[in-house]
Amino acid sequence: MCMAEDRMGNDTTDRDRMTEPETVMTDGQTPDTAGTDDCSKPCCCAKTTERSPEEVKKLINRLNRIEGQIRGIRGMVERDAYCPDILTQSAAVTAAMNAFNRELMSNHIKHCVVRDIKEGKEDTVDELVFTLQKLMK
């Protein structure tokens, strides 16, 4: 379930979910100080989604295949493989990541977004639009 509270017990905004991971902060904050009042980027890890064991297994299997493809590309580079061959494999990784994103987005819409809208949390639509815009860059 895509719900969370900030450290003060208040509901966080939906946009908080879409920020960069806290370890990437450039404002000098550490993960220990993230989420404090002077932090410019709230922690994206405050919200969680409960997934069924089947959904987790399916997503992890996709990620494992992608990880294997990446290792294969690395090996090709190390063996000085022909550039178009590497690019073909790179395109396959991109397609696999797109399939992963579609699966995750589908589950998010079917479960989290529908639930939030039923609960009257219409700002979830803004978060969804923001997420889609990030994916379509």
Side-chain angles (χ1 to χ4, degrees):
M1 63 179 19
C2 297
M3 301 180 342
E5 294 182 343
D6 65 15
R7 293 179 184 184
M8 302 301 292
N10 300 317
D11 287 335
T12 56
T13 64
D14 290 326
R15 197 170 294 265
D16 290 349
R17 251 184 277 188
M18 302 313 304
T19 59
E20 294 296 323
E22 62 186 348
T23 55
V24 181
M25 291 182 181
T26 57
D27 59 357
Q29 293 272 328
T30 65
D32 296 329
T33 60
T36 58
D37 291 342
D38 61 343
C39 179
S40 64
K41 292 185 179 183
C43 175
C44 69
C45 302
K47 295 184 179 185
T48 61
T49 299
E50 291 181 24
R51 294 180 179 86
S52 70
E54 298 82 23
E55 181 181 354
V56 170
K57 183 177 179 180
K58 193 173 186 180
L59 292 171
I60 294 298
N61 285 340
R62 281 185 183 271
L63 290 172
N64 286 339
R65 283 192 300 272
I66 293 166
E67 185 178 12
Q69 288 175 298
I70 295 290
R71 283 194 306 269
I73 293 171
R74 179 179 172 179
M76 292 175 77
V77 170
E78 291 171 345
R79 292 186 308 275
D80 295 325
Y82 189 52
C83 295
D85 294 340
I86 296 171
L87 290 167
T88 298
Q89 293 306 311
S90 178
V93 168
T94 299
M97 280 304 306
N98 287 338
F100 174 84
N101 289 340
R102 281 191 304 272
E103 180 75 21
L104 193 58
M105 181 60 70
S106 173
N107 292 337
H108 178 63
I109 292 169
K110 290 176 182 176
H111 302 286
C112 302
V113 173
V114 168
R115 183 204 58 240
D116 286 356
I117 289 173
K118 285 180 179 177
E119 292 175 358
K121 298 177 184 175
E122 293 182 17
D123 53 339
T124 298
V125 175
D126 292 333
E127 176 205 41
L128 179 60
V129 169
F130 180 74
T131 302
L132 290 170
Q133 289 171 341
K134 287 184 80 169
L135 287 173
M136 295 175 141
K137 283 185 179 180

